[in-house]
Amino acid sequence: MAQPAFIPPDQLARVVVSADQIARRNRELGERIAGLYAGRELTIMAVLTGAMIFLADLIRQIPLQMRLDVVSISSYPGTATRSQGVRWQLPLSADLSGRHVLIVDDIVETGRTLEAMTDEIGQMAPASLRTCVLLRKQRPDLTRRHEPDLVGFDVPDEFVVGYGLDYDNLYRNVPEICVLRQHAETPR
Ligand code: 5GP
Ligand code: MG
């Protein structure tokens, strides 16, 4: 019988960021964030579904009084491996005026998701607005209008899965960030 595996070994190309590296970086990010917002109440606005695991681990490294809100945005529906543009699925309903808001997302690629989020929330007159992503995809071919304020890791320009990130809604439970064999060297 086949051994249990998060990803069938013949489908895994390589691990890009290990679970240990992620845990260490989450502690550092948590410390950074706790310093930035010391003495303030923080509102985390998380972008589901991809950020859910990062979110759950990160917020437990931030010893502050905190509110948590979520939106759901889909840029890579189904089997797409290039951004199909921003599609809101769960609208922004919280009143964020006067709040210190930190947007948390899994990965920034073109920057369109963070742009849409910062545009929307910026109009609500928050006291402050910053962005934090676990991963930043290296795309030297494009200039982002919004660069995240806090970044966990820079990753190569390949389609990655794991730690909340999916391919066709699979692999979110994988503990590390991986490239699948079929996506190693994604054609543009
Ligand atoms: P952007 O709007 O910056 O182009 O893309 C950001 C969103 O696209 C992320 O929140 C994430 O949901 C999705 N995304 C971008 N790159 C990847 C990737 O390599 N793998 C997965 N699974 N999702 C990605
Ligand atoms: Mg996302």
Side-chain angles (χ1 to χ4, degrees):
M1 218 175 69
Q3 289 294 312
F6 285 101
I7 301 181
D10 61 333
Q11 288 175 35
L12 173 68
R14 59 182 209 284
V15 173
V16 183
V17 189
S18 73
D20 280 353
Q21 287 175 303
I22 296 172
R24 221 173 305 133
R25 191 73 182 126
N26 282 346
R27 285 195 290 274
E28 291 170 1
L29 286 172
E31 229 172 83
R32 232 356 256 295
I33 293 166
L36 282 171
Y37 296 95
R40 307 218 157 96
E41 183 185 280
L42 174 61
T43 299
I44 300 269
M45 176 56 73
V47 185
L48 298 182
T49 309
M52 65 187 290
I53 311 247
F54 176 45
L55 171 74
D57 285 346
L58 180 68
I59 60 175
R60 287 176 292 169
Q61 301 296 331
I62 308 172
L64 293 178
Q65 179 156 301
M66 178 189 295
R67 292 172 195 270
L68 176 61
D69 284 298
V70 297
V71 288
S72 177
I73 289 184
S74 160
S75 333
Y76 283 54
T79 56
T81 56
R82 275 288 170 206
S83 174
Q84 306 295 300
V86 175
R87 289 201 315 202
W88 295 78
Q89 289 171 331
L90 187 76
L92 202 50
S93 54
D95 178 12
L96 300 172
S97 65
R99 301 267 193 88
H100 292 283
V101 180
L102 178 65
I103 297 169
V104 172
D105 202 357
D106 51 0
I107 182 166
V108 62
E109 185 180 358
T110 65
R112 269 178 281 179
T113 306
L114 289 183
E115 248 172 59
M117 291 286 294
T118 49
D119 284 354
E120 283 285 317
I121 295 173
Q123 288 172 17
M124 297 180 179
S128 69
L129 182 56
R130 289 192 177 94
T131 54
C132 172
V133 295
L134 177 66
L135 306 172
R136 173 168 55 193
K137 202 177 274 194
Q138 296 294 284
R139 287 286 304 267
D141 55 310
L142 54 84
T143 315
R144 297 183 186 108
R145 197 154 64 81
H146 182 92
E147 278 295 332
D149 298 295
L150 296 150
V151 176
F153 300 93
D154 283 302
V155 291
D157 182 16
E158 285 176 288
F159 190 78
V160 292
V161 300
Y163 200 68
L165 290 96
D166 74 309
Y167 172 66
D168 201 15
N169 212 15
L170 288 168
Y171 311 116
R172 294 194 196 274
N173 61 325
V174 176
E176 53 271 303
I177 303 291
C178 303
V179 175
L180 298 175
R181 203 168 284 270
Q182 69 182 122
H183 296 139
E185 297 168 62
T186 308
R188 199 163 287 265

